[in-house]
Amino acid sequence: MPVEYRVIEVFTSEEARWEGRPVWEAILDAVRRSDLAARCTVSRAMAGCYENGEMASGSLEVLSFNMPLKIEVILPAAQLDELLPRIEEMVTDGIVAVEEMQVRAHRTRKRLIPRQLRVKDAMTPSPHAVTPATPLADVVRLLLRHRFNGVPVTGEDGRPAGIITQKDLIQRAGMPVRLGLLAQFGEQQVNEFLASIQDRKAADVMSAPVVTVREDQRLGEAADLMLRKGLKRLPVVDADGRLTGMLSRFDVFKTITTESPDWRKIRDQYVSVANVRTVADIMRRDAHTVPPDTPLEEVARLIDDSDIQRVAVVDSEGRLVGLVSDSDLLSVLAEHRGGLWESLKARLGLSEAARRQAGSARTAGDIMRTGLITVTEETRIEDAIRLMTEHGIKRLPVVDESGVFRGMVSRDSLLRAGLEQEQ
């Protein structure tokens, strides 16, 4: 069945400008950012003339200048009024026309990470960095103050010499808990740890050599590198190898959220979109659950033994009622902070700390977080990414229409799904 489309035709020239930019470039950018089911083509003529008698030629005998351009934008008729006024405003020298067209089929293929995006479009520029000689305590203070989990180490030439992540601090500096948990403790407990590393430098614990990515590489290539190497962030370098930025998975997600087209809006215009994937394709179904009356000691043991950071709390019907994370658990145990801190310094697990506080132990239902942001198995990948980015969360519980818990979806799995759509 034919669908009514319109073709916006703009006849202009190479010299035409809109706010200092070539008008063809401004229109192309407006179409790309419109989130409409529109395609744009820019054609340059071999020769032509203008109303003022001026001639333009591409021949070798006549100097080529100001060649005519034709810009064509084709889109569903229902979306014409969303774009046409904007284009008319931009064309201060030229002709704008609209033609009717009946389209038999409109098919496209979705890309979660647009191919034109480069690392420099997503990275955090001018990042904090330390040198190999920086006292390790200063590195930890820097990470706690800015709430990021890794910092690059650069030499005198500005090139990355290594990187320090919270994994390095735990494995090589004896940090007892993750940075996010350490920040929850009081100044006295943090100072205890800083005192224990006062004689150490950044060079003592950094990972080297460090994996880097160039700022002009495609963003999809950088995401692929992160997944293959199991890295959550990458130092970004210029053509001379000097540090210019940092790229994290969260940076990639933020860029996807702002740069990807609105595929729902495009499909609503009867456009056939291939390669559509949902949460059901990537979710983890073996996530751990406990009932609300589970003692905290048992919850802590499950987190310890399974090497996970959170468990889902479900009722007798399997409906999700809350989440308990290691952070929630430590907050409760920290009511007895002195004993807990000593346990952590001795590298005991959460379960041991919980056992020691069994006298005041409560249940998962007492401390679980409620009012959770959830998705269903039918949620599209890009919508899940948008939710994670907007709310700054790393995992989303997946439930069915009755609220029954089905599993979890993580940043890692979403990033992997985005790359698969690239292929």
Side-chain angles (χ1 to χ4, degrees):
M1 175 182 173
V3 179
E4 290 293 328
Y5 271 59
R6 295 290 183 271
V7 182
I8 303 173
E9 296 175 321
V10 178
F11 300 87
T12 184
S13 69
E14 290 177 310
E15 286 186 348
R17 292 289 186 274
W18 167 249
E19 295 184 342
R21 303 171 62 191
V23 72
W24 67 266
E25 186 179 290
I27 291 176
L28 189 64
D29 193 47
V31 173
R32 186 175 72 84
R33 295 182 178 282
S34 67
D35 279 343
L36 302 177
R39 288 200 179 201
C40 180
T41 304
V42 180
S43 305
R44 182 174 183 266
M46 296 179 60
C49 67
Y50 299 100
E51 301 91 327
N52 59 11
E54 185 177 289
M55 293 285 292
S57 171
S59 68
L60 295 177
E61 293 79 12
V62 181
L63 183 64
S64 172
F65 67 96
N66 195 27
M67 298 297 285
L69 297 179
K70 182 180 181 183
I71 306 167
E72 294 175 288
V73 181
I74 181 170
L75 76 172
Q79 296 185 320
L80 179 67
D81 291 342
E82 295 186 47
L83 191 60
L84 181 59
R86 178 68 174 150
I87 291 179
E88 288 180 315
E89 181 186 12
M90 292 178 179
V91 181
T92 58
D93 180 7
I95 298 171
V96 179
V98 176
E99 297 283 346
E100 295 183 0
M101 178 179 285
Q102 286 193 339
V103 169
R104 304 293 302 185
H106 184 167
R107 304 185 181 99
T108 186
R109 189 173 180 83
K110 186 166 70 172
R111 293 186 186 281
L112 202 58
I113 304 177
R115 208 179 271 173
Q116 79 278 3
L117 289 179
R118 303 291 164 174
V119 169
K120 62 185 177 184
D121 298 320
M123 71 181 191
T124 298
S126 305
H128 292 280
V130 298
T131 71
T134 302
L136 191 55
D138 289 351
V139 175
V140 175
R141 290 191 188 96
L142 176 69
L143 293 172
L144 290 175
R145 187 164 62 245
H146 294 282
R147 297 296 178 93
F148 42 73
N149 295 332
V151 61
V153 182
T154 56
E156 293 181 357
D157 57 1
R159 294 183 171 88
I163 188 170
I164 297 177
T165 66
Q166 68 174 359
K167 182 179 179 182
D168 297 319
L169 292 171
I170 290 172
Q171 294 183 345
R172 297 176 187 150
M175 190 170 72
V177 291
R178 291 185 288 112
L179 285 162
L181 299 180
L182 183 65
Q184 294 185 20
F185 286 94
E187 185 177 350
Q188 179 182 345
Q189 285 77 23
V190 174
N191 287 338
E192 279 185 40
F193 170 61
L194 296 179
S196 72
I197 58 173
Q198 62 179 346
D199 296 329
R200 308 190 71 179
K201 306 291 185 185
D204 298 332
V205 302
M206 69 181 188
S207 293
V210 61
V211 178
T212 62
V213 63
R214 292 193 323 276
E215 58 185 11
D216 60 349
Q217 278 186 258
R218 285 178 50 201
L219 186 58
E221 293 175 346
D224 179 58
L225 185 62
M226 283 183 185
L227 289 172
R228 282 191 288 108
K229 300 289 186 180
L231 303 172
K232 295 181 179 178
R233 60 193 59 78
L234 292 169
V236 182
V237 297
D238 61 16
D240 295 324
R242 294 186 174 85
L243 180 74
T244 58
M246 286 291 285
L247 181 73
S248 68
R249 291 187 303 183
F250 186 67
D251 292 326
V252 177
F253 285 152
K254 278 197 302 183
T255 305
I256 289 174
T257 302
T258 56
E259 295 291 336
S260 288
D262 185 342
W263 291 105
R264 186 193 303 276
K265 193 173 180 179
I266 290 174
R267 293 182 77 186
D268 287 347
Q269 296 302 315
Y270 307 103
V271 177
S272 174
V273 180
N275 206 26
V276 175
R277 302 192 71 192
T278 65
V279 164
D281 298 323
I282 61 169
M283 60 183 281
R284 181 171 178 170
R285 298 178 186 274
D286 59 347
H288 298 79
T289 64
V290 296
D293 57 357
T294 305
L296 290 191
E297 181 185 354
E298 191 174 327
V299 175
R301 186 183 303 114
L302 180 61
I303 287 176
D304 264 355
D305 294 346
S306 307
D307 194 23
I308 55 178
Q309 294 180 6
R310 60 190 57 75
V311 295
V313 184
V314 299
D315 65 14
S316 58
E317 304 296 325
R319 290 186 289 264
L320 180 70
V321 293
L323 283 180
V324 176
S325 68
D326 54 359
S327 175
D328 301 323
L329 206 53
L330 277 178
S331 295
V332 174
L333 300 178
E335 294 171 3
H336 307 272
R337 188 167 286 161
L340 172 64
W341 185 252
E342 292 304 317
S343 296
L344 291 173
K345 283 201 298 183
R347 308 304 301 274
L348 295 177
L350 280 173
S351 58
E352 177 62 15
R355 188 189 63 76
R356 294 187 176 196
Q357 305 300 338
S360 61
R362 290 170 289 194
T363 65
D366 294 330
I367 68 166
M368 67 184 182
R369 296 188 183 189
T370 58
L372 304 172
I373 297 168
T374 62
V375 293
T376 67
E377 294 184 63
E378 291 73 35
T379 300
R380 296 172 309 154
I381 299 295
E382 59 267 34
D383 290 336
I385 290 175
R386 187 169 291 109
L387 280 173
M388 280 188 174
T389 305
E390 289 176 355
H391 297 279
I393 50 183
K394 297 180 179 179
R395 288 174 179 77
L396 283 170
V398 184
V399 299
D400 67 11
E401 63 279 1
S402 300
V404 174
F405 181 69
R406 294 300 187 191
M408 300 286 285
V409 60
S410 68
R411 282 182 182 175
D412 190 78
S413 57
L414 287 169
L415 190 60
R416 196 175 301 280
L419 288 176
E420 289 172 354
Q421 285 187 328
E422 284 265 287
Q423 299 168 352

